[in-house]
Amino acid sequence: FTDRFRFPDGSPADVVALRTCRRSGPALRAASRRIAARLPLAVGHRDAAASRAHRELLGAEGDSPAESSRQVDTVRIVTAASASQEAALIADTLRRAHLIDGTPWSAMAVLVRSAVRQVPLLQRALTAAGVPVDVAGDELPLGAEPGTRPLLRLVGCASSPELLDEETAAELLTGPLGGTDALGLRRLRRELQAEARAVGQPPAAEPLAGALRDPSQLPGTPDGPDGEVAAARKVASLLAVAREAASSGTPHEVLWAVWSASGLASRWQAASAAGGPRGSIADADLDAVVELFDAAAKFTARMPHGSLRLFLDSLSGQEIAGDTLADRAPRGEAVSVLTAHRAKGLEWDLVVVAGVQEGSWPDLRQRGSLLGMDELVDVVAGGPAGPGRPGADATAVAATARLLAEERRLFYVAVTRARRSLVVTAVGAQDGDEQPSRFLAELAGEEIEIEQVAGPGVRWLSLPALTADLRRHAADPGLPGNVRSAAARQLARLAAAGVRGASPDRWYPLTEPTATGERIAGQVRISPSQVEKFTKCGLRWLLEAAVGVQPAGVAQHFGVVVHAAAALAAEGADDAEVTKRIDELWQHLDFGSSWYSAKQREQAERMVSKFLQWHRANPRELVAVEQQLRVSIGDITITGQVDRLERDSSGAAIVVDIKTGTRPSDADLDRNPQLGVYQLAVLLGAFEQFGLTEPGGAELLQVGKAALKASVRVQAQPGLRQDPNPDWAGELVQTVAAGMSGPVFNATANPGCRSCPVASCCPVDERGGQVTP
């Protein structure tokens, strides 16, 4: 056997044939060799050169140029701006392979590092995109299944009332048990606050959780069967059902009582029977619920007197499914979604390796066995067992190196499962918190370019994206007539087939408003920052103001720190006092991880240092910091707060606004809405108590990432008196106030659309391009 063996077809071959790769072509082999070259040598290999040479695989075609060109294989490495965009990219890749290349669904797979963190999002996204998915029954624990999570959350709150906080209450109300949305939550909070004031009580700190605990706090008349009050009453009644059943029933009986009262069975069965993407999601949810009841029955059989809380604890502690033998039946033609560990020994034509992020792949957290056998072996062998002992640091480094080798070996397994095409994806926006894994650069080498998905320019292979493209071409007067006619004909075909958004009857620019009304009478309150937001996009201002949607809070954290430093500097504090105050504030800011917090702390220190340098060199007189303003012009009240109010050498007021985020273009400064409203407030007497009634200009003090130099960047707006149209700020305030109190709010495309938190609700953005009034 050491000299010869036989292939399955009976032909003899030398042992060297074990170095022949019969799965993939030259591109895939070359990429995988770059990963294999970084793997450590196996224990026992004395000849490093021979061991390295043994890793060089030869193609079945002999690696000759002529033969290699016959086998077409591809490797793509793509980074997306967010996890949802990454999921959309994966769905688009699979759909194109199936619809254009003819690859069967069952010949494709998506491999992940962690089933718990990645599979639920991918499963939902792929199913919604019309991609049939097969997730192994032992990949996800029951607690992570989308269909069982709401039930477990509700019965958990019934068993342990302390778990029902404001966040959990919002999750229950917006989930399938409640059925409301974010706007409904906003209205419900307002109604609860109004009810509390009506009886002379202060508003509760957690109004939603309090209402679910005590439904008597809810308004007496629900606003329709689908209103937010009705949703709250339904969730509160389900909690009562769960508490009553838990007092004397088994976990199986409690779950059955809640399931029967929820009405989810009929809704999900109807969706399943209707088919389509929603039907597939309903199928998966129903399967998960069946498994949950099976787990509850087995728990009761093993522990007849086991409590509901013990059952929930057993589920929440699972990181893999409890019964690894009870795999689901195959679903036929479907894309396999599974972990890289489970993919060993398998292969597919197309493989997508998803979520290759630094920190999760490689995952370099130290692991240990249940009884600490690794540490015990080190002690017996005379090595260090913990921090402080001689050689402990070297041992920690060696342990990390072993973990990195294991993670790289697992990544190697994942990328070698492809026969024809390999796509590796990660999340890595320039201004985001997540970074792609080091493995991507190792896989790419110098031969493969790492692509970046730029959201606004991407066209996914889906009906909504196709419809949006056709609508854009049909309505573009700059295109040739035959192109517009062809687009219109295709839209007519889609409209006849019932595709949503294809018919002009539902096009946003052509439809009348669903509701009209007069301008809201009474006093209108605005602020300088709101004027700027409304000027950029009325719809975004409305949704952020009414629903409370806000972008990520890292920039807000920087603002808190820098403004606190500015206030201390105005009081004459030295650098030590400023640093101490930053330390106090930093303990209350959440950046998600310690390493990212440390990184942002360095950035904050640079911002503060630049501001202090500017502050000490500023020749103007500082009059006030964080000064409130309130002034009226007709039925409009301007309120707000200025970061710094200064007096120049001529006695005019200079308003300085400190910025830690993005900066506007210098060409737009003369008409910057926020600065203009600040100057208008000065002119209207907002600061006459300081003897400041003449605006001498306003400035944006850029101390953040936009100011890349060692010093701050000052963007100045001339005084209103020097402007060719000194009334522009007052006219802008009148226009914005009329728009804020009017019945129509326009969506306007602008540079801020890329990071807009409400883009999915916007009819002019691709992420919400099918939204209609």
Side-chain angles (χ1 to χ4, degrees):
F1 178 79
T2 57
D3 296 327
R4 307 188 66 82
F5 73 97
R6 293 182 178 276
F7 286 122
D9 60 2
S11 60
D14 293 327
V15 172
V16 74
L18 290 173
R19 296 174 53 198
T20 301
C21 176
R22 302 179 181 277
R23 174 181 298 153
S24 54
L28 285 167
R29 285 200 308 276
S32 66
R33 290 309 89 200
R34 289 191 284 271
I35 299 297
R38 292 177 175 267
L39 293 174
L41 299 178
V43 177
H45 277 284
R46 298 182 178 180
D47 189 346
S51 178
R52 295 290 183 188
H54 183 67
R55 295 180 178 182
E56 297 299 327
L57 294 182
L58 301 176
E61 68 280 1
D63 272 356
S64 64
E67 292 294 334
S68 297
S69 62
R70 297 178 186 176
Q71 184 165 354
V72 179
D73 59 340
T74 59
V75 180
R76 289 182 63 202
I77 304 175
V78 191
T79 61
S82 64
S84 59
Q85 188 181 74
E86 181 188 23
L89 166 68
I90 294 172
D92 180 75
T93 300
L94 298 174
R95 286 175 60 85
R96 288 180 185 274
H98 180 70
L99 298 176
I100 298 177
D101 300 334
T103 305
W105 294 121
S106 58
M108 296 184 281
V110 180
L111 308 183
V112 299
R113 176 65 178 85
S114 170
V116 176
R117 291 194 300 267
Q118 296 175 264
V119 170
L121 173 62
L122 286 172
Q123 183 180 9
R124 288 281 181 175
L126 296 181
T127 304
V131 177
V133 173
D134 179 20
V135 179
D138 57 353
E139 288 285 18
L140 275 182
L142 281 174
E145 288 280 3
T148 60
R149 179 181 172 88
L151 295 174
L152 294 175
R153 272 298 181 100
L154 186 133
V155 297
C157 293
S159 173
S160 304
E162 68 275 6
L163 298 178
L164 183 58
D165 54 15
E166 194 72 358
E167 181 180 355
T168 304
E171 180 180 345
L172 292 174
L173 289 169
T174 55
L177 296 176
T180 189
D181 53 17
L183 187 58
L185 291 184
R186 179 86 173 185
R187 288 196 299 262
L188 181 58
R189 285 193 180 99
R190 289 181 175 178
E191 292 177 18
L192 292 172
Q193 292 171 354
E195 286 287 320
R197 294 190 186 97
V199 296
Q201 296 180 355
E206 295 186 339
L208 299 179
L212 295 185
R213 296 190 191 99
D214 182 11
S216 63
Q217 301 179 19
L218 294 169
T221 304
D223 53 348
D226 298 325
E228 59 274 0
V229 176
R233 292 187 182 278
K234 179 180 179 181
V235 174
S237 66
L238 291 175
L239 284 169
V241 169
R243 283 192 294 266
E244 182 179 358
S247 62
S248 58
T250 64
H252 187 277
E253 293 170 342
V254 175
L255 289 171
W256 181 253
V258 174
W259 174 253
S260 301
S262 67
L264 291 178
S266 57
R267 285 163 46 193
W268 288 354
Q269 287 172 1
S272 176
R278 293 185 179 180
S280 299
I281 294 175
D283 286 339
D285 291 340
L286 289 170
D287 288 342
V289 172
V290 170
E291 291 184 18
L292 177 62
F293 279 109
D294 183 62
K298 292 179 179 178
F299 175 84
T300 303
R302 291 194 303 265
M303 304 181 65
H305 302 290
S307 65
L308 175 62
R309 188 165 187 174
L310 181 60
F311 172 68
L312 296 176
D313 289 342
S314 67
L315 291 182
S316 63
Q318 287 183 358
E319 294 186 2
I320 58 175
D323 187 358
T324 57
L325 297 179
D327 199 357
R328 293 178 185 169
R331 295 181 180 272
E333 278 297 313
V335 176
S336 300
V337 179
L338 66 165
T339 60
H341 289 95
R342 188 182 177 90
K344 293 178 180 178
L346 304 177
E347 59 183 46
W348 298 267
D349 288 344
L350 168 62
V351 171
V352 178
V353 183
V356 188
Q357 305 296 136
E358 193 67 29
S360 60
W361 204 345
D363 183 358
L364 301 181
R365 294 174 298 175
Q366 295 294 327
R367 280 85 114 178
S369 59
L370 179 62
L371 300 178
M373 293 301 297
D374 296 338
E375 292 83 355
L376 182 59
V377 169
D378 287 338
V379 172
V380 173
R389 295 192 57 175
D393 293 340
T395 301
V397 172
T400 302
R402 287 196 299 269
L403 286 175
L404 179 59
E406 291 176 7
E407 293 290 303
R408 185 177 282 113
R409 192 173 291 108
L410 182 62
F411 182 68
Y412 172 79
V413 170
V415 299
T416 53
R417 299 304 96 194
R419 288 191 290 257
R420 288 169 35 195
S421 298
L422 171 68
V423 180
V424 183
T425 66
V427 175
Q430 293 182 353
D431 54 352
D433 301 343
E434 296 185 276
Q435 296 298 323
S437 170
R438 68 193 77 178
F439 293 160
L440 296 190
E442 296 176 7
L443 181 69
E446 298 181 356
E447 289 75 17
I448 302 174
E449 181 181 358
I450 299 179
E451 307 171 32
Q452 291 184 346
V453 178
V458 176
R459 286 291 182 271
W460 308 120
L461 186 61
S462 62
L463 276 179
L466 174 62
T467 304
D469 273 342
L470 292 174
R471 286 170 54 170
R472 184 175 289 104
H473 285 76
D476 188 355
L479 294 177
N482 59 337
V483 174
R484 299 179 63 188
S485 299
R489 287 194 296 271
Q490 297 302 325
L491 281 172
R493 290 179 57 192
L494 295 178
V499 175
R500 183 173 180 265
S503 173
D505 295 338
R506 299 289 293 170
W507 290 9
Y508 174 75
L510 304 181
T511 55
E512 294 296 327
T514 54
T516 58
E518 299 296 331
R519 179 179 181 272
I520 300 175
Q523 198 78 6
V524 180
R525 178 178 296 182
I526 64 174
S527 69
S529 60
Q530 289 179 342
V531 170
E532 183 171 12
K533 290 181 179 180
F534 189 88
T535 303
K536 291 181 178 179
C537 180
L539 179 63
R540 177 171 178 175
W541 170 84
L542 172 68
L543 294 178
E544 288 186 347
V547 185
V549 179
Q550 294 293 336
V554 174
Q556 296 178 357
H557 294 342
F558 283 143
V560 170
V561 171
V562 175
H563 284 79
L568 286 176
E571 298 174 0
D574 56 20
D575 291 355
E577 292 174 320
V578 173
T579 302
K580 180 180 178 181
R581 178 57 179 160
I582 294 176
D583 289 336
E584 295 173 353
L585 290 173
W586 210 261
Q587 297 176 2
H588 303 285
L589 303 179
D590 182 15
F591 287 91
S593 63
S594 57
W595 70 268
Y596 187 67
S597 177
K599 178 182 177 182
Q600 299 307 309
R601 173 60 189 272
E602 295 176 0
Q603 177 68 20
E605 289 178 353
R606 287 193 292 268
M607 292 182 183
V608 171
S609 176
K610 289 190 292 185
F611 169 78
L612 293 177
Q613 181 182 3
W614 171 87
H615 168 74
R616 289 160 184 161
N618 181 24
R620 295 191 295 260
E621 176 191 354
L622 178 61
V623 178
V625 295
E626 298 184 359
Q627 178 63 39
Q628 301 291 329
L629 68 88
R630 183 183 181 90
V631 67
S632 297
I633 173 173
D635 59 351
I636 304 171
T637 300
I638 303 175
T639 63
Q641 176 178 286
V642 298
D643 294 339
R644 291 172 63 93
L645 181 63
E646 300 178 354
R647 181 184 285 110
D648 65 9
S649 58
S650 64
I654 305 294
V655 177
V656 179
D657 191 56
I658 303 174
K659 294 292 187 182
T660 59
T662 57
R663 63 179 178 86
S665 170
D666 292 339
D668 300 331
L669 282 177
D670 289 351
R671 287 294 187 273
N672 183 274
Q674 185 175 7
L675 297 183
V677 177
Y678 279 139
Q679 292 203 65
L680 177 64
V682 174
L683 194 62
L684 294 175
F687 307 113
E688 59 183 357
Q689 70 269 31
F690 303 108
L692 297 173
T693 57
E694 182 66 24
E699 295 179 352
L700 295 177
L701 195 66
Q702 301 288 351
V703 301
K705 294 181 179 179
L708 299 179
K709 300 180 180 179
S711 59
V712 301
R713 177 167 183 171
V714 179
Q715 294 182 292
Q717 183 182 78
L720 286 180
R721 301 293 191 186
Q722 288 76 43
D723 194 276
N725 179 20
D727 298 328
W728 72 268
E731 295 170 356
L732 176 63
V733 167
Q734 296 283 353
T735 302
V736 170
M740 287 182 175
S741 58
V744 177
F745 299 88
N746 294 321
T748 306
N750 63 84
C753 291
R754 186 178 66 86
S755 58
C756 179
V758 297
S760 60
C761 303
C762 178
V764 300
D765 192 280
E766 293 179 355
R767 290 162 284 181
Q770 301 303 307
V771 175
T772 55

